[in-house]
Amino acid sequence: MGALQGRVVVVTGAGRGLGREHALLAAAEGASVVVADTGAAPDGTGSDPSVVEAVAAEITN
């Protein structure tokens, strides 16, 4: 049983970098994970939902 079994974890900025790693680790430890990210570029421009969708797919597969 994982350390976060039965818990819900919300990770903002889950599309890239540390947020992504935190989301994956929480899922690996048994948490239900809510991933949130606008998919903006590092300079804050644009929006790409496929970034966070890829993380969600990695968690659910």
Side-chain angles (χ1 to χ4, degrees):
M1 181 184 287
L4 298 175
Q5 192 70 36
R7 305 286 184 146
V8 176
V9 175
V10 178
V11 182
T12 60
R16 297 183 179 95
L18 289 175
R20 177 182 177 276
E21 294 304 315
H22 289 162
L24 295 175
L25 178 60
E29 288 296 324
S32 295
V33 181
V34 177
V35 293
D37 196 305
T38 63
D43 66 0
T45 60
S47 178
D48 182 5
S50 68
V51 174
V52 76
E53 289 169 357
V55 176
E58 191 171 347
I59 290 171
T60 59
N61 292 333

